Amino acid sequence: MAGQRTAARAAACAAVVVLTVTTGVTARADDGFESLPAQRIADRSRDALLDARSVRLRAHGDLGKGQEALTADLALDREGNCAGSVRLGGDKGSVKIVKRGGTVWVKPDADFWKNQVPVGGSTFGAILAGRYLKGAASDARLRPVVDACDLNTFRQLVSDNADTAGGTLTKGAVTTVDGVRTVPVTRRAHGQELTAYVDTGGRHHPVRLTVRGDGADAAVDFSGFDRPVPSATPAAKDTVDVSALLGRTPAPS
């Protein structure tokens, strides 16, 4: 379904912000983190993100160029487990997502069906009646959700795009973000300003990433590093099998 691509756009939004700020050749230092050059701070932040076993990301805003604004709140790990939600701007709808092992559940609301699946969406929504759509993670019709809810997919996007960012990278003054002491590093390129706020302590994870300019205004907040993804799954009475709703012919991959 076309609407399922929303989750993938949410992950892509986060990945674009990360990879365009935190690319470069890895360099390490044992102490004096705040005094390191901007590139080394960015490198260590990227490495810490790539090393994480799990993370919670909250993305909001848009990347400009006509893309829809959205809000996403997803906890995801390397095993492909995921839990959270994605909401489009205005009244365009939202979808809850749960993925556990080889099974995925999605729960679009009425506005989502109406706006993202204009042909037949309202009928699908009526049949579901507030229940989750359940399917196998291998089902091509659910592939966008599955890909978005896998930390390995996110990590690969960041890793594959290393060393490709242009522009200049500069370091700002130490500041506090959500109670965390951070050093901001900013990359300016192609009319945009991308900033990573990097935790000065611990593993030096990114705390917040922002992109501004050229019509873009988006941010991604990171938390919950290495914490388990919530394991609760919808009850059988609250689900409808994807094949029962959409038919048994898989969509093209």
Side-chain angles (χ1 to χ4, degrees):
M1 292 180 295
Q4 293 164 347
R5 297 188 182 94
T6 302
R9 289 202 301 272
C13 170
V16 166
V17 177
V18 173
L19 64 90
T20 50
V21 177
T22 60
T23 54
V25 178
T26 300
R28 295 195 177 279
D30 293 329
D31 52 24
F33 180 77
E34 294 178 16
S35 65
L36 290 176
Q39 186 64 67
R40 291 191 179 185
I41 291 174
D43 291 342
R44 295 187 68 174
S45 175
R46 183 203 61 209
D47 290 348
L49 182 61
L50 291 176
D51 287 345
R53 303 298 306 180
S54 62
V55 66
R56 179 183 179 186
L57 65 86
R58 290 172 291 169
H60 55 90
D62 62 72
L63 295 175
K65 300 179 181 178
Q67 298 188 47
E68 296 174 317
L70 56 81
T71 301
D73 188 344
L74 299 170
L76 54 166
D77 65 22
R78 292 194 192 184
E79 284 67 49
N81 299 314
C82 178
S85 62
V86 177
R87 175 175 294 278
L88 294 176
D91 60 353
K92 295 181 180 179
S94 65
V95 56
K96 294 181 179 179
I97 305 165
V98 177
K99 182 176 178 291
R100 206 73 197 167
T103 306
V104 60
W105 296 259
V106 294
K107 184 179 180 181
D109 66 6
D111 286 335
F112 189 97
W113 284 114
K114 177 182 177 181
N115 289 285
Q116 304 305 311
V117 190
V119 179
S122 296
T123 300
F124 292 150
I127 294 173
L128 283 174
R131 293 174 290 180
Y132 283 82
L133 188 63
K134 177 184 177 181
S138 59
D139 192 315
R141 292 166 294 193
L142 298 174
R143 178 55 55 187
V145 172
V146 172
D147 288 345
C149 281
D150 188 339
L151 183 58
N152 287 323
T153 301
F154 181 84
R155 292 172 65 247
Q156 194 65 50
L157 284 169
V158 176
S159 181
D160 286 351
N161 285 274
D163 304 319
T164 62
T168 59
L169 190 65
T170 58
K171 180 175 68 173
V174 172
T175 187
T176 300
V177 176
D178 288 342
V180 179
R181 183 179 175 88
T182 68
V183 176
V185 289
T186 298
R187 186 180 298 278
R188 295 174 178 84
H190 310 299
Q192 291 187 333
E193 184 175 276
L194 304 107
T195 301
Y197 295 86
V198 183
D199 190 346
T200 62
R203 298 288 305 280
H204 306 306
H205 290 116
V207 176
R208 176 173 296 163
L209 300 144
T210 64
V211 55
R212 303 282 187 268
D214 194 24
D217 186 4
V220 184
D221 290 338
F222 292 94
S223 62
F225 289 99
D226 299 322
R227 296 177 186 171
V229 171
S231 59
T233 59
K237 65 181 179 62
D238 296 324
T239 68
V240 174
D241 187 86
V242 64
S243 293
L245 182 66
L246 303 179
R248 298 188 177 277
T249 303
S253 59

